[in-house]
mmCIF file of all heavy atoms in Angstrom:
data_model
loop_
_atom_site.group_PDB
_atom_site.id
_atom_site.type_symbol
_atom_site.label_atom_id
_atom_site.label_comp_id
_atom_site.label_asym_id
_atom_site.label_seq_id
_atom_site.Cartn_x
_atom_site.Cartn_y
_atom_site.Cartn_z
ATOM 1 N N ALA X 73 19.025 -4.784 -8.924
ATOM 2 C CA ALA X 73 17.920 -4.061 -8.131
ATOM 3 C C ALA X 73 16.982 -5.085 -7.579
ATOM 4 O O ALA X 73 16.488 -5.993 -8.244
ATOM 5 C CB ALA X 73 17.220 -3.082 -8.969
ATOM 6 N N ASN X 74 16.503 -4.732 -6.343
ATOM 7 C CA ASN X 74 15.558 -5.503 -5.639
ATOM 8 C C ASN X 74 14.587 -4.617 -4.982
ATOM 9 O O ASN X 74 14.874 -3.727 -4.295
ATOM 10 C CB ASN X 74 16.157 -6.473 -4.597
ATOM 11 C CG ASN X 74 17.033 -7.586 -5.060
ATOM 12 O OD1 ASN X 74 16.505 -8.615 -5.588
ATOM 13 N ND2 ASN X 74 18.297 -7.271 -5.250
ATOM 14 N N TYR X 75 13.220 -4.916 -5.261
ATOM 15 C CA TYR X 75 12.182 -4.074 -4.636
ATOM 16 C C TYR X 75 11.096 -5.080 -4.031
ATOM 17 O O TYR X 75 10.889 -6.083 -4.618
ATOM 18 C CB TYR X 75 11.568 -3.266 -5.692
ATOM 19 C CG TYR X 75 12.457 -2.324 -6.490
ATOM 20 C CD1 TYR X 75 12.974 -2.763 -7.779
ATOM 21 C CD2 TYR X 75 12.887 -1.146 -6.015
ATOM 22 C CE1 TYR X 75 13.836 -2.081 -8.484
ATOM 23 C CE2 TYR X 75 13.743 -0.329 -6.852
ATOM 24 C CZ TYR X 75 14.217 -0.755 -8.051
ATOM 25 O OH TYR X 75 15.099 -0.052 -8.767
ATOM 26 N N ALA X 76 10.602 -4.576 -2.951
ATOM 27 C CA ALA X 76 9.601 -5.575 -2.273
ATOM 28 C C ALA X 76 8.578 -4.713 -1.574
ATOM 29 O O ALA X 76 8.737 -3.661 -1.045
ATOM 30 C CB ALA X 76 10.342 -6.372 -1.176
ATOM 31 N N ILE X 77 7.345 -5.240 -1.691
ATOM 32 C CA ILE X 77 6.172 -4.738 -0.964
ATOM 33 C C ILE X 77 5.884 -5.792 0.145
ATOM 34 O O ILE X 77 5.669 -6.990 -0.169
ATOM 35 C CB ILE X 77 4.973 -4.560 -1.909
ATOM 36 C CG1 ILE X 77 5.280 -3.458 -2.812
ATOM 37 C CG2 ILE X 77 3.716 -4.257 -1.004
ATOM 38 C CD1 ILE X 77 4.127 -3.208 -3.871
ATOM 39 N N ASN X 78 5.864 -5.345 1.407
ATOM 40 C CA ASN X 78 5.871 -6.299 2.540
ATOM 41 C C ASN X 78 4.687 -6.053 3.398
ATOM 42 O O ASN X 78 4.316 -4.945 3.748
ATOM 43 C CB ASN X 78 7.115 -6.162 3.376
ATOM 44 C CG ASN X 78 8.372 -6.264 2.590
ATOM 45 O OD1 ASN X 78 8.619 -7.191 1.872
ATOM 46 N ND2 ASN X 78 9.252 -5.352 2.791
ATOM 47 N N ASP X 79 4.066 -7.041 3.840
ATOM 48 C CA ASP X 79 2.880 -7.031 4.732
ATOM 49 C C ASP X 79 1.810 -6.109 4.312
ATOM 50 O O ASP X 79 1.352 -5.200 5.193
ATOM 51 C CB ASP X 79 3.357 -6.785 6.141
ATOM 52 C CG ASP X 79 4.397 -7.880 6.614
ATOM 53 O OD1 ASP X 79 4.164 -9.006 6.325
ATOM 54 O OD2 ASP X 79 5.318 -7.512 7.326
ATOM 55 N N LEU X 80 1.394 -5.994 3.148
ATOM 56 C CA LEU X 80 0.355 -5.235 2.649
ATOM 57 C C LEU X 80 -0.961 -5.508 3.317
ATOM 58 O O LEU X 80 -1.401 -6.690 3.199
ATOM 59 C CB LEU X 80 0.263 -5.186 1.142
ATOM 60 C CG LEU X 80 -0.736 -4.210 0.463
ATOM 61 C CD1 LEU X 80 -0.116 -3.877 -0.926
ATOM 62 C CD2 LEU X 80 -2.173 -4.742 0.397
ATOM 63 N N GLU X 81 -1.632 -4.572 3.905
ATOM 64 C CA GLU X 81 -2.928 -4.742 4.478
ATOM 65 C C GLU X 81 -3.843 -3.689 3.924
ATOM 66 O O GLU X 81 -3.562 -2.445 4.119
ATOM 67 C CB GLU X 81 -2.897 -4.719 6.059
ATOM 68 C CG GLU X 81 -1.867 -5.607 6.669
ATOM 69 C CD GLU X 81 -2.544 -6.923 6.968
ATOM 70 O OE1 GLU X 81 -3.782 -7.043 6.845
ATOM 71 O OE2 GLU X 81 -1.763 -7.962 7.180
ATOM 72 N N LEU X 82 -4.963 -4.028 3.317
ATOM 73 C CA LEU X 82 -5.942 -3.039 2.742
ATOM 74 C C LEU X 82 -7.256 -3.419 3.074
ATOM 75 O O LEU X 82 -7.725 -4.639 3.026
ATOM 76 C CB LEU X 82 -5.777 -3.004 1.197
ATOM 77 C CG LEU X 82 -6.810 -2.193 0.516
ATOM 78 C CD1 LEU X 82 -6.690 -0.678 0.741
ATOM 79 C CD2 LEU X 82 -6.752 -2.504 -1.113
ATOM 80 N N SER X 83 -8.057 -2.442 3.518
ATOM 81 C CA SER X 83 -9.493 -2.703 3.801
ATOM 82 C C SER X 83 -10.299 -1.481 3.331
ATOM 83 O O SER X 83 -9.857 -0.356 3.488
ATOM 84 C CB SER X 83 -9.769 -2.911 5.226
ATOM 85 O OG SER X 83 -9.395 -1.798 6.069
ATOM 86 N N THR X 84 -11.512 -1.720 2.757
ATOM 87 C CA THR X 84 -12.331 -0.597 2.306
ATOM 88 C C THR X 84 -13.776 -0.854 2.738
ATOM 89 O O THR X 84 -14.152 -1.966 3.057
ATOM 90 C CB THR X 84 -12.301 -0.529 0.792
ATOM 91 O OG1 THR X 84 -13.107 -1.537 0.173
ATOM 92 C CG2 THR X 84 -10.875 -0.584 0.219
ATOM 93 N N SER X 85 -14.496 0.185 2.712
ATOM 94 C CA SER X 85 -15.943 0.105 2.944
ATOM 95 C C SER X 85 -16.495 -0.131 1.457
ATOM 96 O O SER X 85 -15.782 -0.499 0.583
ATOM 97 C CB SER X 85 -16.471 1.328 3.510
ATOM 98 O OG SER X 85 -16.275 2.564 2.743
ATOM 99 N N ARG X 86 -17.757 0.189 1.248
ATOM 100 C CA ARG X 86 -18.427 -0.012 -0.023
ATOM 101 C C ARG X 86 -17.835 0.884 -1.071
ATOM 102 O O ARG X 86 -17.449 1.989 -0.929
ATOM 103 C CB ARG X 86 -19.865 0.317 0.034
ATOM 104 C CG ARG X 86 -20.675 0.158 -1.266
ATOM 105 C CD ARG X 86 -22.063 0.735 -1.110
ATOM 106 N NE ARG X 86 -22.814 0.722 -2.427
ATOM 107 C CZ ARG X 86 -23.874 1.500 -2.637
ATOM 108 N NH1 ARG X 86 -24.345 2.274 -1.642
ATOM 109 N NH2 ARG X 86 -24.406 1.437 -3.873
ATOM 110 N N ILE X 87 -17.512 0.236 -2.296
ATOM 111 C CA ILE X 87 -16.908 0.922 -3.381
ATOM 112 C C ILE X 87 -17.913 1.033 -4.554
ATOM 113 O O ILE X 87 -18.326 -0.064 -5.044
ATOM 114 C CB ILE X 87 -15.634 0.083 -3.982
ATOM 115 C CG1 ILE X 87 -14.601 -0.023 -2.795
ATOM 116 C CG2 ILE X 87 -15.000 0.847 -5.153
ATOM 117 C CD1 ILE X 87 -13.439 -0.787 -3.232
ATOM 118 N N ALA X 88 -18.370 2.253 -4.796
ATOM 119 C CA ALA X 88 -19.279 2.564 -5.848
ATOM 120 C C ALA X 88 -19.236 3.977 -6.203
ATOM 121 O O ALA X 88 -18.803 4.751 -5.440
ATOM 122 C CB ALA X 88 -20.787 2.099 -5.350
ATOM 123 N N PRO X 89 -19.612 4.297 -7.474
ATOM 124 C CA PRO X 89 -19.566 5.710 -7.932
ATOM 125 C C PRO X 89 -20.350 6.646 -7.001
ATOM 126 O O PRO X 89 -21.527 6.249 -6.590
ATOM 127 C CB PRO X 89 -20.127 5.701 -9.292
ATOM 128 C CG PRO X 89 -19.902 4.234 -9.762
ATOM 129 C CD PRO X 89 -20.011 3.403 -8.586
ATOM 130 N N ASN X 90 -19.704 7.754 -6.742
ATOM 131 C CA ASN X 90 -20.401 8.837 -5.830
ATOM 132 C C ASN X 90 -20.744 8.328 -4.505
ATOM 133 O O ASN X 90 -21.664 8.925 -3.819
ATOM 134 C CB ASN X 90 -21.669 9.362 -6.585
ATOM 135 C CG ASN X 90 -21.316 10.012 -7.944
ATOM 136 O OD1 ASN X 90 -20.426 10.918 -8.046
ATOM 137 N ND2 ASN X 90 -21.998 9.492 -9.015
ATOM 138 N N VAL X 91 -20.074 7.368 -3.942
ATOM 139 C CA VAL X 91 -20.257 6.920 -2.587
ATOM 140 C C VAL X 91 -18.883 7.123 -1.896
ATOM 141 O O VAL X 91 -17.888 6.624 -2.295
ATOM 142 C CB VAL X 91 -20.725 5.401 -2.568
ATOM 143 C CG1 VAL X 91 -20.662 4.817 -1.135
ATOM 144 C CG2 VAL X 91 -22.071 5.289 -3.233
ATOM 145 N N PRO X 92 -18.870 7.771 -0.756
ATOM 146 C CA PRO X 92 -17.533 7.895 0.016
ATOM 147 C C PRO X 92 -17.126 6.540 0.435
ATOM 148 O O PRO X 92 -17.803 5.723 1.017
ATOM 149 C CB PRO X 92 -18.053 8.710 1.231
ATOM 150 C CG PRO X 92 -19.205 9.508 0.805
ATOM 151 C CD PRO X 92 -20.001 8.520 -0.133
ATOM 152 N N VAL X 93 -15.869 6.299 0.007
ATOM 153 C CA VAL X 93 -15.165 4.990 0.354
ATOM 154 C C VAL X 93 -14.114 5.151 1.359
ATOM 155 O O VAL X 93 -13.185 5.925 1.156
ATOM 156 C CB VAL X 93 -14.555 4.437 -1.060
ATOM 157 C CG1 VAL X 93 -14.018 2.924 -0.600
ATOM 158 C CG2 VAL X 93 -15.552 4.316 -2.189
ATOM 159 N N LYS X 94 -14.344 4.557 2.549
ATOM 160 C CA LYS X 94 -13.365 4.534 3.523
ATOM 161 C C LYS X 94 -12.168 3.570 3.266
ATOM 162 O O LYS X 94 -12.477 2.423 2.959
ATOM 163 C CB LYS X 94 -13.825 4.293 4.923
ATOM 164 C CG LYS X 94 -14.869 5.372 5.411
ATOM 165 C CD LYS X 94 -15.262 5.087 6.788
ATOM 166 C CE LYS X 94 -16.196 6.220 7.347
ATOM 167 N NZ LYS X 94 -15.512 7.493 7.339
ATOM 168 N N ILE X 95 -10.916 4.099 3.236
ATOM 169 C CA ILE X 95 -9.795 3.252 2.841
ATOM 170 C C ILE X 95 -8.723 3.225 4.019
ATOM 171 O O ILE X 95 -8.404 4.290 4.482
ATOM 172 C CB ILE X 95 -9.183 3.765 1.547
ATOM 173 C CG1 ILE X 95 -10.129 3.842 0.411
ATOM 174 C CG2 ILE X 95 -7.886 2.999 1.210
ATOM 175 C CD1 ILE X 95 -9.654 4.414 -0.866
ATOM 176 N N ALA X 96 -8.204 2.106 4.299
ATOM 177 C CA ALA X 96 -7.230 1.940 5.271
ATOM 178 C C ALA X 96 -6.135 1.102 4.719
ATOM 179 O O ALA X 96 -6.438 -0.091 4.234
ATOM 180 C CB ALA X 96 -7.662 1.297 6.602
ATOM 181 N N LEU X 97 -4.931 1.567 4.500
ATOM 182 C CA LEU X 97 -3.811 0.894 3.888
ATOM 183 C C LEU X 97 -2.582 0.970 4.814
ATOM 184 O O LEU X 97 -2.239 1.949 5.211
ATOM 185 C CB LEU X 97 -3.502 1.514 2.482
ATOM 186 C CG LEU X 97 -2.253 1.024 1.823
ATOM 187 C CD1 LEU X 97 -2.479 -0.502 1.428
ATOM 188 C CD2 LEU X 97 -1.976 1.856 0.557
ATOM 189 N N ALA X 98 -1.929 -0.263 4.880
ATOM 190 C CA ALA X 98 -0.675 -0.279 5.667
ATOM 191 C C ALA X 98 0.286 -1.221 4.759
ATOM 192 O O ALA X 98 -0.126 -2.299 4.414
ATOM 193 C CB ALA X 98 -0.748 -0.854 6.939
ATOM 194 N N VAL X 99 1.469 -0.730 4.562
ATOM 195 C CA VAL X 99 2.468 -1.452 3.695
ATOM 196 C C VAL X 99 3.812 -1.048 3.944
ATOM 197 O O VAL X 99 4.114 0.163 4.300
ATOM 198 C CB VAL X 99 2.016 -1.262 2.178
ATOM 199 C CG1 VAL X 99 2.211 0.239 1.741
ATOM 200 C CG2 VAL X 99 2.939 -2.093 1.310
ATOM 201 N N GLY X 100 4.734 -1.988 3.823
ATOM 202 C CA GLY X 100 6.180 -1.723 3.971
ATOM 203 C C GLY X 100 6.757 -1.809 2.567
ATOM 204 O O GLY X 100 6.390 -2.668 1.770
ATOM 205 N N VAL X 101 7.755 -0.988 2.306
ATOM 206 C CA VAL X 101 8.432 -1.002 1.003
ATOM 207 C C VAL X 101 9.950 -0.886 1.238
ATOM 208 O O VAL X 101 10.427 -0.124 2.036
ATOM 209 C CB VAL X 101 8.031 0.298 0.138
ATOM 210 C CG1 VAL X 101 8.791 0.339 -1.200
ATOM 211 C CG2 VAL X 101 6.468 0.318 -0.043
ATOM 212 N N THR X 102 10.606 -1.922 0.655
ATOM 213 C CA THR X 102 12.025 -1.906 0.737
ATOM 214 C C THR X 102 12.688 -1.990 -0.706
ATOM 215 O O THR X 102 12.015 -2.484 -1.591
ATOM 216 C CB THR X 102 12.510 -3.138 1.477
ATOM 217 O OG1 THR X 102 12.135 -4.314 0.868
ATOM 218 C CG2 THR X 102 12.019 -3.063 3.005
ATOM 219 N N ALA X 103 13.881 -1.417 -0.793
ATOM 220 C CA ALA X 103 14.561 -1.421 -2.164
ATOM 221 C C ALA X 103 16.074 -1.297 -1.803
ATOM 222 O O ALA X 103 16.433 -0.785 -0.752
ATOM 223 C CB ALA X 103 14.045 -0.345 -2.967
ATOM 224 N N ASN X 104 16.875 -1.660 -2.766
ATOM 225 C CA ASN X 104 18.367 -1.467 -2.626
ATOM 226 C C ASN X 104 18.918 -0.515 -3.611
ATOM 227 O O ASN X 104 20.106 -0.042 -3.479
ATOM 228 C CB ASN X 104 19.126 -2.788 -2.759
ATOM 229 C CG ASN X 104 18.943 -3.459 -4.145
ATOM 230 O OD1 ASN X 104 18.045 -3.069 -4.869
ATOM 231 N ND2 ASN X 104 19.830 -4.400 -4.414
ATOM 232 N N GLN X 105 18.184 -0.132 -4.633
ATOM 233 C CA GLN X 105 18.547 0.829 -5.649
ATOM 234 C C GLN X 105 17.319 1.753 -6.019
ATOM 235 O O GLN X 105 16.572 1.388 -6.925
ATOM 236 C CB GLN X 105 19.084 0.204 -6.945
ATOM 237 C CG GLN X 105 20.316 -0.649 -6.627
ATOM 238 C CD GLN X 105 20.828 -1.326 -7.995
ATOM 239 O OE1 GLN X 105 20.379 -0.980 -9.082
ATOM 240 N NE2 GLN X 105 21.679 -2.391 -7.892
ATOM 241 N N PRO X 106 17.114 2.824 -5.419
ATOM 242 C CA PRO X 106 17.936 3.460 -4.298
ATOM 243 C C PRO X 106 17.617 2.735 -2.903
ATOM 244 O O PRO X 106 16.686 2.055 -2.813
ATOM 245 C CB PRO X 106 17.513 4.837 -4.156
ATOM 246 C CG PRO X 106 16.120 4.834 -4.633
ATOM 247 C CD PRO X 106 16.046 3.835 -5.714
ATOM 248 N N LYS X 107 18.450 2.967 -1.898
ATOM 249 C CA LYS X 107 18.250 2.343 -0.594
ATOM 250 C C LYS X 107 16.994 2.863 -0.007
ATOM 251 O O LYS X 107 16.851 4.040 0.113
ATOM 252 C CB LYS X 107 19.502 2.604 0.310
ATOM 253 C CG LYS X 107 19.419 1.823 1.581
ATOM 254 C CD LYS X 107 20.693 2.069 2.450
ATOM 255 C CE LYS X 107 20.747 1.319 3.659
ATOM 256 N NZ LYS X 107 21.932 1.563 4.493
ATOM 257 N N LEU X 108 16.089 1.963 0.387
ATOM 258 C CA LEU X 108 14.819 2.382 0.895
ATOM 259 C C LEU X 108 14.193 1.363 1.907
ATOM 260 O O LEU X 108 14.377 0.101 1.566
ATOM 261 C CB LEU X 108 13.815 2.582 -0.218
ATOM 262 C CG LEU X 108 12.394 3.125 0.089
ATOM 263 C CD1 LEU X 108 12.626 4.573 0.593
ATOM 264 C CD2 LEU X 108 11.534 3.125 -1.048
ATOM 265 N N ALA X 109 13.762 1.798 2.997
ATOM 266 C CA ALA X 109 13.095 0.853 3.981
ATOM 267 C C ALA X 109 12.151 1.669 4.756
ATOM 268 O O ALA X 109 12.431 2.325 5.729
ATOM 269 C CB ALA X 109 14.163 0.197 4.859
ATOM 270 N N ILE X 110 10.886 1.623 4.240
ATOM 271 C CA ILE X 110 9.866 2.582 4.890
ATOM 272 C C ILE X 110 8.542 1.781 5.243
ATOM 273 O O ILE X 110 8.310 0.757 4.560
ATOM 274 C CB ILE X 110 9.475 3.676 4.006
ATOM 275 C CG1 ILE X 110 8.892 3.251 2.632
ATOM 276 C CG2 ILE X 110 10.657 4.650 3.750
ATOM 277 C CD1 ILE X 110 8.372 4.378 1.774
ATOM 278 N N GLN X 111 7.795 2.366 6.115
ATOM 279 C CA GLN X 111 6.495 1.761 6.436
ATOM 280 C C GLN X 111 5.498 2.799 6.299
ATOM 281 O O GLN X 111 5.664 4.037 6.742
ATOM 282 C CB GLN X 111 6.441 1.227 7.989
ATOM 283 C CG GLN X 111 5.152 0.732 8.430
ATOM 284 C CD GLN X 111 4.646 -0.544 7.661
ATOM 285 O OE1 GLN X 111 5.486 -1.379 7.412
ATOM 286 N NE2 GLN X 111 3.381 -0.648 7.348
#
């Protein structure tokens, strides 16, 4: 089995309790068991 996380990009605003945190995440995931190739 082979699994991979590709070109992960993550950015956030301020992270603190009870503060709205803006999150933007982009990532590719590939695998051969089961067959998977998604963005």
